[in-house]
């Protein structure tokens, strides 16, 4: 009778262990479904969700740091055709993206439209000097006119350059170079980022995710168009992905696509590694190596090649001519210090030292929500000048030169309060559910196995007695 009770107890224990283990197994898909449902509800762009609050007004402080390239041998370049030597001067830091989105309108097709006001506030404590610091840089008016005026009219341009006492290089303040000054040659206000304060980016139309969470944040239209009007090619004119501030939830380490109005095109970033950011696991994504590759390496980039002369028959890597979206201004975009560019770019201008660590662009994205928690967008603004037999200040120039003017690091990182909130509201719940699942599954299996072994031992002993 005692042996029977013992065997029955062990069988009951094994059944109980199996039930506990099954419960732990059931909690895995059920818990995952609950988490997914909660996340999908909170990342939709509509009033009342966590995503909406951070979407309307950026929840982190965004800074733009500028390093201007200061020419060290301007007279040698002019008089003897020497290779320009530059030294970076910076950072000069501004707070930006601090204004909330405006004209927010929800549309029947599950998109929301808005404009993004632009502004920059100088941060002296994060800068090496003031906006009144002087730099020697390329003369924007002369370089711009050289690119825009046809060669047969260079004699006219020569007279205008002389009449305005302009030269290939100029001495300006940091504030003037960035935000504008009156140019005597063009007789207009010009600057690398002029106008900026008081202007708007957009109109944007993005999917709100209510009907399809896999499209949340994806750009449907920009400036009223579903494709760009800059490149004259179906591939290059595509508007892909989001604006990089967030992505659809539940990332799977596949490439992410985003559109940047700063460079007038869409790009992609590939998964590099998992990292810890303030106790939160994030996926680091970096620009794909072929983003600015020459068409000889990446044929898809053929439609981005605008000038076969300056790009050496489209074999030049590392620069993007965006004049078609800059009202004709001859602006070339590259990564900082021509990172990933052709060697000739570094040979035509001395003093640059590209480094992936200091000059690469990256995004750190929380994979469950798709929120970008830290990023660094590093791009360089360049202009072109070249040889001329007519224009005096260019007679000594031997090669077409893509000249670096300034490189910018737009960066932000989640603050401690937001990180703690995210960990409390999401990460800790996921971790707790995972612990409960594993505990139930482990405990159940352990009880089941222990009882099963004990049952077998009891039966074996009983058989020996019989």
């Amino acid at each position: 009778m005692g042996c029977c009770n013992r065997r029955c107890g062990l069988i009951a224990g094994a059944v109980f262990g199996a039930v506990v283990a099954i419960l732990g197994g059931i909690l895995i898909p059920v818990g995952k479904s609950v988490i997914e449902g909660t996340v999908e509800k909170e990342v939709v762009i509509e009033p009342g969700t966590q995503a909406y609050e951070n979407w309307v007004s950026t929840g982190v402080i965004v800074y733009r740091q500028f390093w201007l390239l200061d020419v060290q041998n301007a007279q040698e370049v002019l008089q003897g055709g020497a290779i320009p030597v530059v030294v970076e001067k910076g950072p000069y830091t501004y707070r930006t993206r601090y204004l909330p989105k405006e004209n927010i309108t929800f549309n029947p097709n599950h998109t929301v439209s808005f404009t993004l006001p632009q502004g920059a506030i100088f941060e002296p404590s994060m800068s090496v000097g003031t906006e009144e610091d002087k730099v020697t840089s390329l003369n924007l008016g002369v370089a711009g006119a050289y690119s825009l005026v046809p060669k047969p009219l260079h004699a006219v341009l020569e007279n205008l350059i002389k009449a305005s006492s302009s030269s290939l290089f100029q001495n300006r303040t940091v504030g003037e170079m960035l935000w504008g000054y009156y140019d005597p040659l063009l007789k207009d206000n010009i600057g690398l980022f002029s106008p900026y304060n008081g202007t708007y980016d957009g109109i944007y139309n993005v999917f709100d995710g209510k009907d399809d969470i896999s499209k949340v944040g994806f750009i449907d239209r920009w400036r009223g168009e579903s494709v760009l009007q800059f490149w004259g090619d179906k591939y290059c004119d595509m508007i892909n992905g989001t604006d990089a501030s967030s992505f659809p939830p539940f990332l799977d380490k596949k490439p992410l696509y985003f559109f940047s109005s700063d460079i007038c095109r869409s790009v992609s970033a590939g998964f590099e590694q998992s990292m810890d950011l303030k106790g939160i696991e994030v996926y680091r994504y970096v620009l794909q190596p072929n983003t600015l590759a020459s068409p000889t390496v990446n044929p898809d980039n053929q439609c981005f090649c605008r000038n076969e002369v300056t790009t050496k028959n489209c074999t030049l890597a590392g620069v993007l001519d965006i004049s078609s979206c800059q009202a004709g201004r001859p602006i070339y975009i590259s990564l900082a210090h021509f990172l990933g560019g052709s060697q000739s770019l570094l040979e035509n201008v001395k003093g640059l030292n590209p480094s992936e660590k200091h000059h690469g662009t990256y995004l750190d994205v929380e994979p469950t929500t798709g929120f970008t928690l830290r990023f660094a967008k590093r791009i360089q603004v360049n202009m072109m000048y070249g040889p001329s037999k007519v224009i005096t200040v260019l007679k000594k120039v031997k090669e077409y030169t893509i000249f670096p003017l300034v490189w910018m690091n737009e960066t932000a990182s989640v603050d401690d309060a937001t990180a703690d909130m995210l960990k409390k509201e999401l990460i800790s719940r996921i971790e707790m559910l995972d612990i409960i699942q594993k505990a139930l599954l482990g405990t159940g299996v352990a009880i089941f196995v222990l009882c099963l072994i004990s049952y077998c031992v009891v039966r074996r002993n009983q058989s020996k007695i019989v």
Side-chain angles (χ1 to χ4, degrees):
M1 186 70 178
C3 290
C4 181
N5 289 337
R6 187 181 302 170
R7 289 200 307 271
C8 291
L10 290 173
I11 293 173
V15 171
F16 175 75
V19 171
V20 171
I22 292 171
L23 180 60
I26 291 175
L27 273 180
I28 294 176
V30 171
K32 182 180 179 182
S33 177
V34 170
I35 293 296
E36 288 181 354
T38 302
V39 170
E40 289 178 3
K41 180 181 178 181
E42 290 299 324
V43 301
V44 167
I45 302 175
E46 67 173 349
T49 65
Q50 289 184 3
Y52 185 76
E53 294 180 8
N54 289 323
W55 177 82
V56 172
S57 184
T58 304
V60 296
I61 299 176
V62 181
Y63 295 105
R64 277 191 176 185
Q65 300 173 297
F66 295 99
W67 285 263
L68 287 90
L69 284 306
D70 192 28
V71 182
Q72 304 296 295
N73 61 338
Q75 290 305 312
E76 289 85 347
V77 176
L78 285 170
Q79 297 172 7
I83 295 175
V85 177
V86 297
V87 172
E88 66 176 27
K89 196 171 184 177
Y92 294 91
T93 304
Y94 295 79
R95 183 179 176 186
T96 187
R97 300 193 185 278
Y98 56 88
L99 297 168
K101 294 178 173 66
E102 296 183 5
N103 304 313
I104 298 174
T105 305
F106 288 88
N107 306 307
N109 65 339
H110 294 293
T111 65
V112 54
S113 58
F114 63 92
T115 54
L116 188 62
Q118 303 190 109
I121 300 173
F122 185 59
E123 295 283 352
S125 64
M126 301 176 67
S127 305
V128 297
T130 73
E131 291 181 294
E132 300 305 312
D133 289 353
K134 291 293 188 76
V135 293
T136 300
S137 187
L138 187 66
N139 190 314
L140 307 184
V142 171
Y146 172 78
S147 297
L148 296 173
V149 175
K151 280 189 177 181
L153 297 178
H154 274 193
V156 176
L157 179 57
E158 162 73 355
N159 291 331
L160 292 173
I161 291 174
K162 286 184 175 180
S164 61
S165 300
S166 299
S167 187
L168 182 59
F169 300 102
Q170 61 179 343
N171 195 241
R172 293 282 178 184
T173 68
V174 170
E176 287 175 329
M177 287 297 296
L178 295 178
W179 312 116
Y181 60 90
Y182 180 80
D183 183 78
L185 173 61
L186 302 181
K187 299 185 184 304
D188 197 6
N189 289 312
I190 61 174
L192 294 174
F193 301 95
S194 175
Y196 189 77
N197 283 342
T199 63
Y200 291 83
D201 184 17
I203 302 172
Y204 285 87
N205 279 69
V206 303
F207 289 100
D208 60 21
K210 291 183 72 174
D211 66 326
D212 185 354
I213 200 64
S214 68
K215 295 196 299 183
V216 64
F218 273 43
I219 299 170
D220 179 42
R221 292 179 179 273
W222 182 67
R223 294 182 178 176
E225 302 287 346
S226 59
V227 296
L228 302 175
Q229 306 296 317
F230 304 136
W231 306 105
D233 180 88
K234 183 178 180 181
Y235 175 82
C236 286
D237 280 328
M238 288 191 298
I239 300 176
N240 292 331
T242 72
D243 64 358
S245 63
S246 66
F247 298 89
F250 316 117
L251 303 183
D252 55 8
K253 300 182 181 180
K254 292 180 181 178
L256 300 178
Y257 295 86
F258 55 95
F259 168 71
S260 174
S261 61
D262 290 329
I263 63 173
C264 313
R265 62 166 289 189
S266 299
V267 296
S268 62
F271 174 81
E272 184 183 61
Q273 61 178 317
S274 294
M275 303 180 68
D276 181 273
L277 175 60
K278 298 179 186 279
I280 301 171
E281 182 189 22
V282 295
Y283 289 176
R284 170 155 292 188
Y285 292 84
V286 297
L287 285 184
Q288 303 274 44
N290 64 355
T291 300
L292 293 177
S294 74
T296 57
V297 175
N298 180 12
D300 288 337
N301 282 347
Q302 182 65 48
C303 45
F304 291 120
C305 181
R306 311 293 292 177
N307 188 320
E308 293 187 358
V309 175
T310 57
T311 60
K312 301 180 180 180
N313 292 320
C314 299
T315 62
L316 192 67
V319 293
L320 177 69
D321 179 355
I322 62 169
S323 57
S324 59
C325 72
Q326 293 292 318
R329 292 186 297 170
I331 301 295
Y332 291 78
I333 292 295
S334 68
L335 300 184
H337 282 232
F338 292 128
L339 177 66
S342 296
Q343 185 62 31
S344 62
L345 295 169
L346 300 174
E347 293 173 350
N348 290 339
V349 179
K350 298 297 184 181
L352 302 176
N353 298 286
S355 159
E356 184 67 41
K357 178 180 178 180
H358 296 105
H359 305 131
T361 290
Y362 64 83
L363 303 166
D364 290 340
V365 187
E366 198 287 307
T368 302
T369 61
F371 294 161
T372 300
L373 301 186
R374 180 172 60 188
F375 70 90
K377 180 174 71 175
R378 295 161 175 161
I379 59 176
Q380 183 170 289
V381 179
N382 316 273
M383 290 186 74
M384 184 274 294
Y385 65 85
S388 174
K389 297 179 179 180
V390 179
I391 301 173
T392 302
V393 298
L394 294 171
K395 284 184 178 180
K396 297 293 184 178
V397 175
K398 301 178 180 66
E399 298 281 348
Y400 286 101
T401 301
I402 307 295
F403 190 86
L405 301 166
V406 60
W407 73 271
M408 174 190 78
N409 176 30
E410 182 172 284
T411 184
S413 180
V414 63
D415 57 48
D416 292 339
T418 304
D420 289 342
M421 182 275 293
L422 187 60
K423 286 187 287 187
K424 178 182 178 182
E425 298 295 328
L426 177 65
I427 308 301
S428 61
R429 295 182 183 182
I430 294 176
E431 291 177 348
M432 181 59 70
L433 182 63
D434 185 57
I435 291 172
I436 293 174
Q437 291 169 352
K438 290 178 178 178
L440 287 175
L441 191 59
T443 302
V445 169
I447 292 174
F448 176 79
V449 171
L450 183 61
C451 290
L452 188 61
I453 292 174
S454 299
Y455 176 78
C456 293
V457 171
V458 169
R459 286 203 59 179
R460 183 179 177 183
N461 291 339
Q462 184 181 8
S463 299
K464 287 182 179 180
I465 294 173
V466 174

